[in-house]
């Protein structure tokens, strides 16, 4: 694999993992009603982004030139 493509895959993988982790950590919506605070979050897209980032990162790291 070309060194440039490998570097791009690694960078994109790191960015996708970081964005997926950010989506998991930061709540989407919150509601504060005096004594109680509620947070609603759907993490399906965050898990997909995180998984895609891990796969892209692994491809960039471990696939060698044929």
């Amino acid at each position: 694999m070309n060194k440039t493509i490998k570097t791009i895959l690694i960078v994109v993988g790191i960015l996708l993992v970081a964005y997926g982790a950010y989506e998991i950590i930061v709540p989407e919506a919150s509601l504060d009603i005096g004594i109680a605070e509620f947070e609603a979050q759907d993490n399906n897209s965050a898990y997909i982004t995180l998984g895609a980032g891990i796969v892209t990162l692994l491809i960039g790291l471990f696939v060698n030139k044929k």
Side-chain angles (χ1 to χ4, degrees), residues 25-47:
I25 294 171
V26 176
E28 291 179 3
S30 64
L31 177 64
D32 189 10
I33 306 175
I35 60 171
E37 183 178 332
F38 300 99
E39 294 179 358
Q41 187 168 356
D42 181 25
N43 288 331
N44 291 335
S45 64
Y47 293 134

Side-chain angles (χ1 to χ4, degrees), residues 15-64:
L15 290 175
L16 285 173
V17 168
Y19 183 67
Y22 172 77
E23 282 185 336
I24 290 173
I25 294 171
V26 176
E28 291 179 3
S30 64
L31 177 64
D32 189 10
I33 306 175
I35 60 171
E37 183 178 332
F38 300 99
E39 294 179 358
Q41 187 168 356
D42 181 25
N43 288 331
N44 291 335
S45 64
Y47 293 134
I48 293 170
T49 305
L50 191 61
I54 290 171
V55 169
T56 306
L57 187 61
L58 290 175
I59 289 172
L61 289 174
F62 295 115
V63 173
N64 290 329

Side-chain angles (χ1 to χ4, degrees), residues 1-16 53 56-64:
M1 184 182 298
N2 191 355
K3 187 176 180 181
T4 306
I5 296 172
K6 192 171 185 177
T7 304
I8 290 171
L9 284 174
I10 292 171
V11 169
V12 169
I14 290 171
L15 290 175
L16 285 173
T56 306
L57 187 61
L58 290 175
I59 289 172
L61 289 174
F62 295 115
V63 173
N64 290 329

